[in-house]
Amino acid sequence: MRLISILSNSKAYELLRTLQRDKSAWTGLWLLIVFGIIVLFAPIIAPYGPNEAIPSLRLAPPGTPGHLLGLDHQGRDILSRIIHGTRLTVITAVTPVVIGALVALPLGLLAAWYERLGVLILRTMDVLFAFPMALLAILVTSSLGAGIINLLISLVIVLLPYYVRIVHQAAASQKALPYIEALRVSGTPVRTILFVELLPNVAPAAIVYGATVLGSIVVTAAGLSFLGLGVQPPLAEWGVMISEGRNVIFIAPHVAALPGAALTLFVIACNLLGDGIRDALDPRARATLSYQANLSK
Amino acid sequence: MIRLIINRIFATILVLIGVSFVVFAALHFSPGDVARTILGLGATEERVQALRQELGLDRPLLIQYWDWMMALLRGDLGRSISLGVPVSEVIFDKIWASLLLMGASFFLTVSFGLLFAALSGGYHRSLMDRLITLLMLLLASLPPFWLGIVLLIIFGLKLRIFPISGVGAMADDATLYVVAMHLILPAVTTAASSLAVVARVTRSAFIDEMGEPYVQAARARGLSQRRIISIETMRNVLPSFVTIAGLQIGFLFSSALFSEIVFNWPGIGLQLYLGIVQRDFPVVQGCVLAIAIVFVVGNLLADILSIALDPRRRG
């Protein structure tokens, strides 16, 4: 019973209730849950293995009996590859978003606490800001070498400046509050102030940013694999599948078009939920909404 | 205002120095031998040794950076492995096509972004507002490399309205019409998601303005909704519009990269891709540096413009 009351009073629950009233955010959340189920149970859902090939049916169009979405240039079932590909596509995007937040939290907290160190950290981030997202990722992966691990590293580096700036802002505004002053005066070690007291108050800002940026990171991750810098063929991943399909668009456009449609649907789901979370937590947006609600009364 | 602008220019120069260091360091932090990375896998051991001497790889990193930077200021970016010509030549050869594509995409982004924002924000909660919001959600979510392929299939292969490769656009005898026809699909691909972001943010600005007393006053004076949107509120929406449009430059660069590849558009992005595929590291380095510089300078210009447009910051 106690657990339920904690849950029902917690901020996360409150956020969920707000999202429930927002029809588009709720749709996004459900779509993502469906994608999550596909990630977990891909081998059970998919009718064929990701690299199971039937050469005689190469490039067969959608609607071929037994192959709803047709077959690719090697005779692999496209529906099955899209379902299997959900795994790598989602993992290569979610992992850097999570790791990026974990790396940025201590950096941003330290930057807010020690001002000189902060200047150094923030100026370094400014330099990373000077690269368009995809370009920085390309620079890192092309120097480290193609592959999934390097793809993840490059995406963490791409995300870092945004995360650090947000954590720093949140921590700097908290730092001025009386409770921190009280802790400092009472002789609490800096370590405790930063990672026990401040951390829980700045983490939500990072989490919200992570939720809103997921959509563009999915596109960047798949884009790098499309360029041949991330996931490598013959692994099933949507960017790789689009890139492979590009070679046969003249004879079989569905091979490139279908995985991209899945990617777009996933990004739409991310953006719907991300926008909803931002609107729900941005007090200014909420104020505008209630203001309008009052006007219409 | 002048002081603010001078500060921005100074900060930009510092960022550019940092950018050049990152691009330099990317090569030196790559696993394996730098000389071998530069020369590619096909080079003989003697050539690798010779280049190692020439680059002074045994000297401290900062000194190497200084030398590289000095060469860079003279316009020397090294030699392309695959093409055998100086990288700077390659870049100056390709940058015009990229700037043309960027310019066209930026034009689409700001013009349609503002138009959609005014049509949806100015008529908040109308059917048109809902439809445009839905369309913008779709546009914002389309991966450029896929949108490009889909447009290519529909308008290039099926309907045969537009050419499927951008190479012809840069031919010496290309007329304005030919260039425009080649440009439309890549520019739409590049602009799509940025256009949607600009429209969405500017729409909120319009909605905020519509609630202001001066708009009610204008309405009381009997001004039409169209006039209120296009003249009265537009002036107050402009600063946030310019800021968000300026922020899109980076995204436009990222998307342009993909549309250049999909449409075979002979610009820096396609060259960068070829550099990656052929493991031509000097070309990759040069292209990344060129794009980053154009991006940083573009941001500076957008910043100065938004300072100039905002009376509160004009000082």
Side-chain angles (χ1 to χ4, degrees), chain A residues 123 126-136 138-140 142-146 162 216 218-220 222-224 226-229 238-239 242-243 246 249-250 253-254 256-264 267-269 271-272 275 278 284 288-289 291-293 295-296, chain B residues 14-15 18-20 22-23 25-27 29-31 124-125 137-138 140-146 149-150 152-153 157-158 164 200 207-208 211-212 216 249-251 253-254 257-258 261-264 272-273 276-277 279 281 284-285 287-289 291-293 295-296 299:
Chain A
R123 289 297 153 266
D126 280 349
V127 170
L128 295 183
F129 263 121
F131 293 92
M133 223 184 219
L135 192 71
L136 183 58
I138 286 171
L139 183 67
V140 176
S142 66
S143 94
L144 293 179
Y162 297 88
S216 41
V218 172
V219 173
T220 310
L224 286 173
F226 171 82
L227 294 178
L229 288 168
W238 298 341
I242 297 172
S243 159
R246 223 189 120 205
I249 50 169
F250 294 95
H254 68 281
L258 293 171
L263 180 60
T264 306
V267 178
I268 287 178
N271 288 343
L272 282 174
D275 290 352
R278 199 179 39 207
R284 200 170 150 261
T288 325
L289 278 180
Y291 172 69
Q292 280 153 357
L295 275 186
S296 60
Chain B
L14 284 183
V15 164
V19 164
S20 70
V22 170
V23 172
L27 174 66
F29 287 140
S30 65
H124 189 34
R125 287 173 192 197
L137 171 71
L138 179 68
S141 307
L142 287 167
F145 47 96
W146 183 65
I149 289 175
V150 170
L152 196 67
I153 293 171
L157 297 178
K158 300 281 180 217
I164 56 166
R200 203 167 54 181
I207 292 172
D208 284 351
E212 295 291 327
Q216 290 176 357
I249 296 175
F251 293 99
F253 272 111
S254 295
L257 197 84
F258 290 110
I261 295 165
V262 170
F263 291 100
N264 224 353
L272 174 62
Y273 176 65
I276 294 168
V277 173
R279 301 187 169 283
F281 205 88
V284 174
Q285 217 176 23
C287 290
V288 170
L289 195 64
I291 297 174
I293 290 173
F295 174 42
V296 170
N299 271 343

Side-chain angles (χ1 to χ4, degrees), chain B residues 104-115:
Chain B
S105 313
F106 194 65
F107 173 73
L108 286 180
T109 302
V110 292
S111 55
F112 282 90
L114 192 59
L115 178 69

Side-chain angles (χ1 to χ4, degrees), chain A residues 22 24-25 27-29 31 267-277, chain B residues 137:
Chain A
D22 180 345
S24 46
T27 315
L29 183 65
L31 273 173
V267 178
I268 287 178
C270 291
N271 288 343
L272 282 174
L273 182 63
D275 290 352
I277 291 180
Chain B
L137 171 71

Side-chain angles (χ1 to χ4, degrees), chain A:
Chain A
M1 274 315 282
R2 183 132 181 264
L3 185 72
I4 292 172
S5 74
I6 291 174
L7 273 180
S8 58
N9 287 324
S10 71
K11 278 186 181 162
Y13 182 76
E14 205 178 292
L15 173 65
L16 213 60
R17 289 304 297 265
T18 317
L19 288 181
Q20 204 174 1
R21 285 195 293 271
D22 180 345
K23 240 185 280 167
S24 46
W26 202 240
T27 315
L29 183 65
W30 273 106
L31 273 173
L32 286 182
I33 290 173
V34 171
F35 275 112
I37 293 171
I38 296 176
V39 168
L40 288 176
F41 301 108
I44 302 171
I45 302 170
Y48 300 90
N51 287 314
E52 215 173 295
I54 308 167
S56 60
L57 286 176
R58 274 191 303 140
L59 299 178
T64 307
H67 303 275
L68 188 62
L69 299 183
L71 296 97
D72 71 1
H73 56 294
Q74 293 185 10
R76 297 173 295 190
D77 182 52
I78 292 177
L79 177 64
S80 303
R81 276 180 75 74
I82 289 179
I83 291 173
H84 283 279
T86 315
R87 288 190 152 177
L88 276 174
T89 310
V90 171
I91 290 168
T92 50
V94 171
T95 316
V97 169
V98 173
I99 295 180
L102 294 179
V103 176
L105 278 168
L107 277 179
L109 284 170
L110 289 171
W113 195 262
Y114 300 106
E115 270 161 19
R116 287 216 181 137
L117 180 68
V119 170
L120 181 71
I121 293 176
L122 293 179
R123 289 297 153 266
T124 313
M125 294 304 140
D126 280 349
V127 170
L128 295 183
F129 263 121
F131 293 92
M133 223 184 219
L135 192 71
L136 183 58
I138 286 171
L139 183 67
V140 176
T141 42
S142 66
S143 94
L144 293 179
I148 295 179
I149 300 295
N150 292 340
L151 170 69
L152 298 182
I153 294 174
S154 76
L155 291 175
V156 169
I157 293 177
V158 163
L159 278 168
L160 218 46
Y162 297 88
Y163 267 135
V164 169
R165 195 175 269 194
I166 283 161
V167 174
H168 172 262
Q169 255 167 20
S173 66
Q174 290 279 323
K175 195 185 159 191
L177 296 181
Y179 80 100
I180 296 295
E181 193 58 31
L183 287 168
R184 204 166 11 183
V185 176
S186 68
T188 315
V190 173
R191 209 176 46 229
T192 317
I193 298 182
L194 287 185
F195 297 107
V196 180
E197 302 292 337
L198 267 179
L199 185 68
N201 291 330
V202 299
I207 295 170
V208 169
Y209 179 71
T212 53
V213 83
L214 186 60
S216 41
I217 291 300
V218 172
V219 173
T220 310
L224 286 173
S225 296
F226 171 82
L227 294 178
L229 288 168
V231 179
Q232 299 293 314
L235 286 176
E237 191 271 351
W238 298 341
V240 171
M241 293 171 69
I242 297 172
S243 159
E244 287 179 325
R246 223 189 120 205
N247 301 323
V248 290
I249 50 169
F250 294 95
I251 33 177
H254 68 281
V255 181
L258 293 171
L263 180 60
T264 306
L265 188 63
F266 186 77
V267 178
I268 287 178
C270 291
N271 288 343
L272 282 174
L273 182 63
D275 290 352
I277 291 180
R278 199 179 39 207
D279 290 349
L281 295 179
D282 182 357
R284 200 170 150 261
R286 218 171 2 190
T288 325
L289 278 180
S290 57
Y291 172 69
Q292 280 153 357
N294 287 335
L295 275 186
S296 60
K297 252 181 222 164

Side-chain angles (χ1 to χ4, degrees), chain A residues 284 288, chain B residues 117 121 198-210:
Chain A
R284 200 170 150 261
T288 325
Chain B
V198 169
R200 203 167 54 181
V201 173
T202 314
R203 169 181 176 266
S204 319
F206 267 113
I207 292 172
D208 284 351
E209 288 300 323
M210 285 299 164

